[in-house]
Amino acid sequence: MDFSLTQEQQQFADAIKRWVAKDYNFEQRKHIIRSEAGVSDTAWSALAELGAMALPIPEAQGGFDGSAIDMLIVMQELGRGIVIEPYFATVLGAEFLKQAGSHAAILEQVAGGEVKLAAALAEKQSRHDLFDIVTIATKNADGFVLNGVKTIVLHGAQADHLIVSARSSGNQRDTTGISLFIVDAKAAGVSRRDYRTIDGYRAADIHFDQVQVPASALLGVEAAGWELLDAASDYGVTLLCAEAVGVIEAITNATLEYLKTRQQFGVPIGKFQVLQHRMAEMFMEMEQARSMATLAAVKVSSSDVEERRRTVSAAKARVGQAARFVGQSAVQLHGGMGVTNELPAAHMFKRLTMIELSLGDTDHHLARFVAQPGFKQAA
């Protein structure tokens, strides 16, 4: 299979790379993190002008109908620049709308960079099991009433609309009885507590207290939202794997440069064979992660649900292992400086740590992988 980029894909990647180098360098990023908003309207507008917002949106809604492979390219470049804008949160939210086949007007606004989205899926008790839901959706004459709390919603306080999972029937951990809704983030009864995560991103805990939403807010079929939730989450996992590859490449390059310039006993420490071996191991981990992220991007749209789940979980587990090894190795090779905020490597390591924990950590996806039908027979 030919994994080389098309001319259009390479041009798009180069455009984002130039923007990051010119307008989103490390010092500018630190300034944005320290700001009250935690994100940059200027950077968001630039992403929209580059076409990054329109890329995954269907042509009918003013987008480019980009594939997961196209998105892999974007996420890798954003990963290299450790860009903290709410791009991932928005395109994940847009994926729910795309798969549900509804709210075309909001998708048009996403394509134009006019609105931001966030996926409010996790709860305090759920950890990585997105079907573990106690937020309740009660049907009434005007639609539905939502009550509950969602935690660690990435860029939840910066979003204009929220994708919310709620239980309309069944028991707490049933995959049946789940409904999905799009909710105006400023609707009566919605309260958000914004905070900074360890990697400089923003997240929020969101309370829904008697939040009335119309029947049109329902995504898909009432009480049958698990398949949509599972599929869209796998798309999100694929994007995270791609971003991780970009971060891994950036931290590997930064470490190699450090070994070339840091001197000990009158020579660059990169001359020491044991450190050369570690760099070789980091490179191999990076290439394995790249291959698995690419495979996930190819298979995430597969009509074979078991194949999609199996491949995406295998990729997340392998990329998570690579992220941990490369990140920890980079910190070790940088010495004490590797954990200081003055160096980009420390920020990259923190982002890799958060990616590994997002939408299921390595252990979760290993368990999901082996639980898929056919695993024991294949083994």
Side-chain angles (χ1 to χ4, degrees), residues 35-56:
S35 69
E36 183 177 354
V39 295
S40 168
D41 290 339
T42 301
W44 186 256
S45 297
L47 285 170
E49 290 174 6
L50 286 168
M53 301 313 310
L55 182 60

Side-chain angles (χ1 to χ4, degrees), residues 35-329:
S35 69
E36 183 177 354
V39 295
S40 168
D41 290 339
T42 301
W44 186 256
S45 297
L47 285 170
E49 290 174 6
L50 286 168
M53 301 313 310
L55 182 60
I57 305 302
E59 292 182 5
Q61 282 79 52
F64 300 138
D65 202 20
S67 67
I69 289 292
D70 296 322
M71 290 299 296
L72 177 141
I73 296 164
V74 175
M75 293 303 297
Q76 284 182 346
E77 294 303 329
L78 296 181
R80 288 189 185 97
I82 44 177
V83 174
I84 60 171
E85 306 308 315
Y87 183 76
F88 167 75
T90 297
V91 296
L92 175 58
E95 183 66 15
F96 279 91
L97 302 184
K98 286 168 56 181
Q99 294 202 26
S102 61
H103 297 83
I106 294 179
L107 285 174
E108 289 180 7
Q109 291 176 310
V110 170
E114 300 167 30
V115 302
K116 302 179 181 72
L117 306 177
L121 309 176
E123 299 185 3
K124 183 178 181 179
Q125 82 293 337
S126 64
R127 191 163 170 77
H128 302 305
D129 296 328
L130 297 183
F131 53 79
D132 188 339
I133 300 171
V134 297
T135 297
I136 299 298
T138 305
K139 196 171 185 177
N140 63 12
D142 298 318
F144 297 85
V145 176
L146 303 181
N147 285 283
V149 181
K150 296 294 182 177
T151 58
I152 319 177
V153 179
L154 188 63
H155 287 120
Q158 289 72 42
D160 301 292
H161 300 279
L162 304 167
I163 308 300
V164 182
S165 59
R167 184 160 297 286
S168 49
S169 64
N171 298 317
Q172 176 180 328
R173 290 178 60 83
D174 290 346
T175 54
T176 57
I178 297 172
S179 297
L180 298 169
F181 302 90
I182 182 165
V183 180
D184 186 334
K186 296 181 180 179
V190 177
S191 58
R192 300 180 281 181
R193 183 177 71 86
D194 185 30
Y195 49 86
R196 184 187 301 164
T197 55
I198 64 168
D199 56 351
Y201 278 60
R202 292 294 180 121
D205 293 339
I206 305 180
H207 291 248
F208 300 90
D209 184 11
Q210 294 294 115
V211 178
Q212 178 70 57
V213 297
S216 60
L218 179 67
L219 302 181
V221 180
E222 180 187 355
W226 169 245
E227 293 299 328
L228 171 57
L229 174 56
D230 191 46
S233 298
D234 274 351
Y235 180 81
V237 169
T238 301
L239 298 186
L240 288 174
C241 288
E243 182 187 356
V245 170
V247 182
I248 288 171
E249 183 172 338
I251 199 170
T252 299
N253 291 339
T255 304
L256 179 59
E257 187 62 29
Y258 183 79
L259 296 187
K260 290 178 178 179
T261 55
R262 175 74 167 90
Q263 293 205 354
Q264 187 72 33
F265 306 114
V267 297
I269 60 176
K271 293 286 187 180
F272 301 134
Q273 191 176 57
V274 66
L275 302 189
Q276 294 174 359
H277 288 171
R278 181 59 63 89
M279 283 302 307
E281 291 172 334
M282 291 170 65
F283 179 82
M284 288 188 292
E285 292 284 335
M286 176 180 70
E287 290 306 313
Q288 290 177 9
R290 191 193 312 279
S291 296
M292 288 304 298
T294 303
L295 180 61
V298 171
K299 297 294 186 180
V300 72
S301 301
S302 173
S303 58
D304 186 334
V305 174
E306 293 176 5
E307 181 183 42
R308 184 202 78 215
R309 290 171 176 163
R310 185 168 56 248
T311 306
V312 169
S313 281
K316 186 61 158 63
R318 188 65 194 90
V319 170
Q321 292 167 343
R324 181 174 297 183
F325 177 83
V326 172
Q328 292 177 349
S329 296

Side-chain angles (χ1 to χ4, degrees), residues 345-356:
H347 295 252
M348 295 171 187
F349 176 52
K350 291 173 184 177
R351 181 57 188 152
L352 287 175
T353 300
M354 289 299 293
I355 289 175
E356 196 271 335

